[in-house]
Amino acid sequence: MPYVPLQWLADHVEVPAGTTVAQLAADLVRVGLEEESITPPTVTGDLVVGHVLSVKAEKHKNGKTVSYCRVDVGPFNDAPGTGSEAAGVPSRGIVCGAHNFAAGDHVVVALPGSVLPGPFPIAARKTYGHVSDGMICSERELGLGNDHSGIMVLERYLNGPIPAPGTSMLDLLGLGTELLEINITPDRGYCFSMRGVAREYSHSTGARFTDPVSRLHPPAPSDGGFAVAVRDEAPVHGAVGCDRFVARVVRGVDPQAPSPAWMQDRLRHAGMRPISLTVDVTNFVMLDLGQPMHAYDLARMRDPIVVRRAVAGEELVTLDGARRRLDPEDLLITDDDGARVLALAGVMGGASTEIDAGTTDVLLEAAHFDPVTVARTARRHRLPSESAKRFERGVDPQLPPFAAQRAADLLVEYGGGRVDDVVTDVDTTAPPRPVVMDGRLPARVVGVDYAVEDVVATLTMLGAGLERDGDTLTVTPPSWRTDLAIPEDLVEEVARLRGYDEIPSVVPAAPAGRGLTDRQRQRRAVMRALAEHGLNEVLSYPYVGDVHDRLHVPADDPRRRMFRLVNPIADDAPFMRSTLLASLIEVARRNVGRGNDLAIMEIGLVTEGADVASSPLPPVAQLPDPRTLAAIHAAVPAQPLHVAAMMAGPPAPGGALGGAREFDWADAVELAQLAGRTVGVPIATRQGDRTPWHPGRCAELVVAGAVVGYAGELHPAVLPGLDLPPRTVAFELDLDALFAAVPVDALQVRPVSTYPQAKEDIALVMDAAIPNGHALDVVRGAAGVLAEEVRLFDEYTSAALGAGLKSLAFALRLRAADHTLTAAEIAGVREAVIARATSALGARLR
């Protein structure tokens, strides 16, 4: 986001003396430019130029070699050095661990009492046998960059004369200024310049604004300049990639001429490092006026310049040194009649015509490029350059000749060049389209009684051209406001500039008879029930990598057919998940790695299948017809709602009578069935076999004969690859299928019986191959209407029972609605259970 130094802003608008950065932020927020942050001075105290008088390398017992230096810091010197250290010249002694400088170099010295970014206070201290009376700084220590490999030597860092020892470096390096950073919304691209921010400050405060463009007087286009042609044979959405291209030539620029100190200071305030006069000028003009520019070494150019789309297979080495394979949609700047690629238009230049230390003749480019083309190229090549940020938000198409003139003037003033009289200006821009609006529309839409005269005055202040016929206004937006296209856009501007604080806050009355849908209530009920039973809800991204190998999912399993995203937010997660477990395992792994017991759940959509028709792309200016809407919906894959949970470790801490038990497969099954009971749908279980569950401890979850999920213990062969503990259990359930089975009839609530409950426990010996769930169903059916609850609470095997046998213990809780159960009734239920278990399961009472 752009920074707004007060001194720079005052070049274009009258800023009252004594205005603070906080007041500036308050003024700008009134017109919609929100404060992102206020950056205090990054360095406080004395940060000065130091002249290294001597450097003495000393190797110490720890194997490290340090340098003891005597440094001249002008009026901050303490005492003369002795012997050969500094030949008696007043200086300070400083110990330094870097070795990329020598006696005679000028460096940046932080004196005791100063504070560097971090914060990192500097004090005199004894180290390596010397008193180090300050610190010689690197770029990273000053917050100017990431280079920590060595000391910042001013001869290699600054363009121009080196200040005298003791001179403060705070302002020169842009470290002593408080800066306001503002947040720019996508429709306010013109505020990516000091010109745009100054105009908005004028709107907010009424201060007099002087457009810097009004001081520039570029000559009219003429023949004989550097030839330029635009040959866009494949425009994106019918918009030609370049509708204006201005080229100016400046000859005889001194390549050794430094950028003026004020320009370097402003570039640093904007977060840019000064490089050379020509490059600094183009960057400064972009920051000041809002027009991205590029400078070419004219000696390496071969006319004509051709702006065209890339050809498949073409490559370009950009200024960052990367070799990039170009896409046919990329817009290029080429020369030699299109034969050689020079730059990615509006994004970044190429290395072949880069400005270097020998460049004397410069060709300046100031152009206007299609925002969509630039945005796609920047994202495709992952190049979010300062130029691309501005072009993709919209740049004033009338600005290029003025920006080129400003850059040429600066090169002449500070580099001694001369500007060619001829001007190349390929201009096919269209004037802004007028917008017809009822002058009373802002009052109707906003709810504030704006008079038509107020609307006219506001839009005129905005810079728009305006014709009035009664209450009908024909408004021509200013060239820098490409976002104003319909009457509602103008209404928004009236509300913004007249002040949002004038708009009353009225809370609308909620209409009666509305509330949560049945599906919303069911979803909330399920999540609340699971949370009440100890599970913690998490939210993971629906984007995953190819995790199915780690889950041991078979090659022909439908879960492997996932949708790949064209532009994933992470290269290692390019797929839409086909199962909640695919994303839940990453959350589980992270929690286990931090020593947490595991009891997590998630509700979310999964994407099934990978064969859908491609979706049409209707224009955004009109409602698609029913046929197009149907085609769009048909292209959306099935995305059912699932709930899943993973558990490991103890569900509750142990107590005085025994240790804590661990989660087991039965807990996973019970929690899945709890989800069904919550919405009134019984979930049956039967033996299942599905990865990544253990084949002997996996239950299919069945509703009305259809499998809607799985629960149980995860396979021990899977867990090490997932970094999960042994005996981790999980379930996943299709909630769409579960909710579809919810009975339509209203739930009939039975009265609560006030009579006592009878308890009866029965242990049955049966074949070990009989599924526990089947046995439970048999016992529950035999217990009849008197059974309030029937649950399996123990499974026992031993040699005494016999090979292939097991004992299952069931707890029966019995109660009648209208009387206390008699001993005979209780005994009858017990005998009925035993009889049914004997006949259906071949079981016997233990």
Side-chain angles (χ1 to χ4, degrees), residues 467 586 674:
E467 296 179 4
E586 294 302 319
L674 170 66

Side-chain angles (χ1 to χ4, degrees), residues 579-642:
T579 167
L580 276 187
L581 291 184
S583 56
L584 199 58
I585 57 173
E586 294 302 319
V587 181
R589 181 185 58 80
R590 194 175 303 115
N591 278 270
V592 169
R594 285 162 174 73
N596 299 328
D597 291 330
L598 191 62
I600 59 174
M601 62 175 172
E602 179 174 10
I603 186 169
L605 301 177
V606 300
T607 306
E608 295 181 344
D611 297 325
V612 295
S614 60
S615 173
L617 294 175
V620 297
Q622 61 187 28
L623 180 68
D625 58 69
R627 183 176 179 180
T628 302
L629 285 174
I632 293 173
H633 289 302
V636 178
Q639 293 182 296
L641 183 69
H642 281 205

Side-chain angles (χ1 to χ4, degrees), residues 229-284:
V230 177
R231 303 173 187 167
D232 187 359
E233 298 176 356
V236 177
H237 299 324
V240 175
C242 175
D243 57 8
R244 190 157 199 182
F245 195 108
V246 173
R248 300 292 300 274
V249 173
V250 183
R251 304 181 189 273
V253 178
D254 181 0
Q256 304 305 316
S259 303
W262 62 266
M263 185 182 295
Q264 295 187 44
D265 187 33
R266 291 184 174 182
L267 291 176
R268 292 191 188 97
H269 283 162
M272 290 185 170
R273 176 179 172 178
I275 298 173
S276 67
L277 175 62
T278 301
V279 176
D280 293 350
V281 162
T282 57
N283 285 336
F284 169 75

Side-chain angles (χ1 to χ4, degrees), residues 221-368:
S222 54
D223 296 332
F226 202 95
V228 176
V230 177
R231 303 173 187 167
D232 187 359
E233 298 176 356
V236 177
H237 299 324
V240 175
C242 175
D243 57 8
R244 190 157 199 182
F245 195 108
V246 173
R248 300 292 300 274
V249 173
V250 183
R251 304 181 189 273
V253 178
D254 181 0
Q256 304 305 316
S259 303
W262 62 266
M263 185 182 295
Q264 295 187 44
D265 187 33
R266 291 184 174 182
L267 291 176
R268 292 191 188 97
H269 283 162
M272 290 185 170
R273 176 179 172 178
I275 298 173
S276 67
L277 175 62
T278 301
V279 176
D280 293 350
V281 162
T282 57
N283 285 336
F284 169 75
V285 171
M286 176 185 68
L287 295 171
D288 193 44
L289 301 184
Q291 172 65 53
M293 297 190 65
H294 190 68
Y296 301 91
D297 188 336
L298 184 64
R300 304 183 192 179
M301 300 283 290
R302 299 188 290 270
D303 65 352
I305 287 177
V306 175
V307 184
R308 62 169 176 83
R309 299 285 171 175
V311 177
E314 281 188 299
E315 294 184 341
L316 170 66
V317 178
T318 45
L319 289 174
D320 58 359
R323 180 175 295 276
R324 303 182 184 278
R325 181 173 294 275
L326 305 179
D327 185 272
E329 201 177 69
D330 293 334
L331 190 69
L332 308 178
I333 309 298
T334 67
D335 71 347
D336 196 13
D337 200 26
R340 182 176 59 158
V341 181
L342 303 182
L344 283 169
V347 180
M348 184 173 284
S352 61
T353 54
E354 179 182 8
I355 300 295
D356 59 24
T359 301
T360 58
D361 297 340
V362 177
L363 185 142
L364 296 172
E365 167 209 303
H368 183 260

Side-chain angles (χ1 to χ4, degrees), residues 208-234:
R208 186 166 64 89
F209 168 67
T210 302
D211 192 343
V213 168
S214 65
R215 306 188 187 106
L216 301 170
H217 305 285
S222 54
D223 296 332
F226 202 95
V228 176
V230 177
R231 303 173 187 167
D232 187 359
E233 298 176 356

Side-chain angles (χ1 to χ4, degrees), residues 115-128:
V115 180
L116 301 186
F120 181 51
I122 304 300
R125 62 190 182 94
K126 187 169 184 179
T127 181
Y128 293 105

Side-chain angles (χ1 to χ4, degrees), residues 7 10 100 121 180 203 228 245 248 251 334 347 359 366 506 525 528 562 588 599 626 645 669 704 736-737 794:
Q7 299 88 340
N100 67 317
L180 168 66
H203 294 336
V228 176
F245 195 108
R248 300 292 300 274
R251 304 181 189 273
T334 67
V347 180
T359 301
V506 179
R528 182 170 57 250
M562 297 185 293
V669 174
D736 279 352
D794 185 54

Side-chain angles (χ1 to χ4, degrees), residues 581 690-695 698 710-715 730-732:
L581 291 184
R690 182 177 176 87
T691 55
W693 283 275
H694 189 298
C698 172
Y710 294 85
E713 182 180 315
L714 297 184
H715 200 292
F731 77 82
E732 182 164 356

